[in-house]
Amino acid sequence: MSKYLVTGGAGYVGSVVAAHLVEAGHEVTVLDDLSTGFREAVPAGAEFIEGRIQDAAEWLNPSFDAVLHFAAFSQVGESVVNPEKYWSNNVGGTMALLAAMRDADVRTLVFSSTAATYGEPVSTPITETDPTAPTSPYGASKLAVDHMIAGECAAHGLAAVSLRYFNVAGAYGNRGERHDPESHLIPLVLQVALGEREFISVYGDDYPTPDGTCVRDYIHVADLAEAHLLALDAATAGEHLVCNLGNGNGFSVREVVETVRKVTGHPIPEVIAARRGGDPAVLVASAARAHERLGWQPSRADLAGIVADAWAFARRTEHAGE
Ligand SMILES: NC(=O)c1ccc[n+]([C@@H]2O[C@H](COP(=O)([O-])OP(=O)(O)OC[C@H]3O[C@@H](n4cnc5c(N)ncnc54)[C@H](O)[C@@H]3O)[C@@H](O)[C@H]2O)c1
């Protein structure tokens, strides 16, 4: 059994990983300021501290074996209009966390990086050696943290793994996506099925893709969680390992909408809107390195299954207040 600090463990991905760690018998402390997270998402069996990563030094001590760092702001659009919020929290907050880890001699880190660090891809599927040229302050803030972590590994012997998630989707029991505002496609389409939204906007149907709509790589949040447990084992002192996490399969916006129709039985009206700036036509991961270095194999790659789990969560959340 090991002892882990999970920052952002009341959020979507962090709470699912915290649940997996508790289920594997580990001791888990969640540090989250609830700025976008939910207290009830923290698994029973984990200790909860309502606090900021900027103050991590108050709680970190040498009894922790590693930190899993999810806490961040992650709204791409908001980062464009309020970039300082992203630099301050994502970069400034992580700087404080790294200093606290150094002081407490906690020498292993798993970090939530993102496909947004790559920006417009030069080729598909994207590998970790491809150029990084983020198109938003959010992506830039995450890339800056990746650079910061690399320096920490080289200079101070940190063992670190940055996991670059593609489109995380699905749910794990009563833990799922509840971003506000929601910007991710599957929960948005499900809002139409729930009657909370009249139609789904499809931003651009003239991309150079088979049906003209954007193609993305959807990865089930439980597959993603398993990669974090493997990353803790793979982390090596002095090395910054960067791994993409995706299924290597692309699904278009139209395919996602059609899948939601099949899963929910709702007709899901769609309205074609103009392209949004900074939306690449295709974002698909090569996860070859995650397979090789982490021994990771996703087992929930079926889009209908991912949507079905997200739908079960959305309906449960809808009825939660009744
Ligand atoms: N969801 C995705 O598709 C996706 C894709 C790529 C990368 N990521 C990254 O994964 C991580 C988790 O994403 P998510 O979708 O679960 O987001 P989320 O908003 O649900 O979770 C983030 C959590 O961090 C907390 N938090 C934010 N700033 C904090 C601070 N200063 N101190 C303490 N807690 C703080 C929030 O309250 C929230 O609970 C983020 O770092 C995000 O950038 C997510």
Side-chain angles (χ1 to χ4, degrees), residues 128 161-164 219 227 230-231 234 241-246 285-298:
E128 295 83 353
V161 182
S162 284
L163 298 173
R164 291 197 170 147
I219 170 168
L230 295 167
L241 175 63
V242 177
C243 290
N244 289 340
L245 289 181
S286 161
R289 187 184 281 179
H291 301 323
E292 280 162 29
R293 292 294 311 272
L294 308 181
W296 176 71
Q297 283 298 341

Side-chain angles (χ1 to χ4, degrees), residues 237-280:
E239 184 192 23
H240 179 217
L241 175 63
V242 177
C243 290
N244 289 340
L245 289 181
N247 284 313
N249 296 324
F251 292 98
S252 72
V253 173
R254 284 226 160 93
E255 286 175 308
V256 170
V257 173
E258 195 47 44
T259 304
V260 175
R261 287 187 183 118
K262 285 191 185 126
V263 168
T264 65
H266 190 283
I268 315 281
E270 57 182 60
V271 170
I272 305 301
R275 288 183 182 194
R276 289 181 302 195
D279 259 352

Side-chain angles (χ1 to χ4, degrees), residues 107-110 149 153 158-162 235-242:
R107 300 284 70 203
T108 301
L109 174 70
V110 177
I149 293 171
C153 294
L158 183 72
V161 182
S162 284
T236 306
E239 184 192 23
H240 179 217
L241 175 63
V242 177

Side-chain angles (χ1 to χ4, degrees), residues 52-112:
R52 305 180 74 213
I53 51 172
Q54 285 80 347
D55 304 318
E58 288 179 33
W59 299 286
L60 262 181
N61 61 61
S63 70
F64 286 94
D65 294 293
V67 173
L68 295 100
H69 178 32
F70 302 90
F73 294 142
S74 59
Q75 298 280 351
V76 172
E78 182 189 53
S79 81
V80 174
V81 294
N82 198 354
E84 60 280 13
K85 180 173 172 183
Y86 282 71
W87 292 110
S88 168
N89 198 43
N90 296 0
V91 179
T94 305
M95 247 174 98
L97 179 67
L98 288 175
M101 288 179 67
R102 222 179 294 129
D103 290 347
D105 200 29
V106 179
R107 300 284 70 203
T108 301
L109 174 70
V110 177
F111 170 61
S112 303

Side-chain angles (χ1 to χ4, degrees), residues 157-314:
L158 183 72
V161 182
S162 284
L163 298 173
R164 291 197 170 147
Y165 315 159
F166 280 61
N167 286 55
V168 190
Y172 186 64
N174 58 359
R175 295 180 184 85
E177 276 191 274
R178 281 191 277 174
H179 300 118
D180 184 20
E182 188 54 75
S183 60
H184 293 158
L185 181 63
I186 292 174
L188 282 174
V189 188
L190 291 175
Q191 287 177 5
V192 181
L194 287 173
E196 294 171 0
R197 189 177 282 276
E198 267 182 62
F199 55 84
I200 188 72
S201 297
V202 176
Y203 295 103
D205 64 351
D206 56 352
Y207 284 94
T209 59
D211 67 18
T213 64
C214 287
V215 169
R216 296 289 180 268
D217 186 337
Y218 295 90
I219 170 168
H220 196 292
V221 67
D223 281 339
L224 193 83
E226 287 167 7
H228 288 72
L229 274 73
L230 295 167
L232 285 165
D233 293 336
T236 306
E239 184 192 23
H240 179 217
L241 175 63
V242 177
C243 290
N244 289 340
L245 289 181
N247 284 313
N249 296 324
F251 292 98
S252 72
V253 173
R254 284 226 160 93
E255 286 175 308
V256 170
V257 173
E258 195 47 44
T259 304
V260 175
R261 287 187 183 118
K262 285 191 185 126
V263 168
T264 65
H266 190 283
I268 315 281
E270 57 182 60
V271 170
I272 305 301
R275 288 183 182 194
R276 289 181 302 195
D279 259 352
V282 179
L283 281 178
V284 173
S286 161
R289 187 184 281 179
H291 301 323
E292 280 162 29
R293 292 294 311 272
L294 308 181
W296 176 71
Q297 283 298 341
S299 59
R300 304 165 186 87
D302 167 54
L303 184 62
I306 291 174
V307 168
D309 285 353
W311 177 229
F313 173 76

Side-chain angles (χ1 to χ4, degrees), residues 1-2 4 6 14-29 41-46 171-175 221-223 225-226 229 300:
M1 186 186 83
S2 298
Y4 298 122
V6 179
S15 66
V16 174
V17 176
H20 277 74
L21 290 169
V22 169
E23 285 160 22
H26 299 296
E27 195 179 330
V28 174
T29 299
V42 176
Y172 186 64
N174 58 359
R175 295 180 184 85
V221 67
D223 281 339
E226 287 167 7
L229 274 73
R300 304 165 186 87

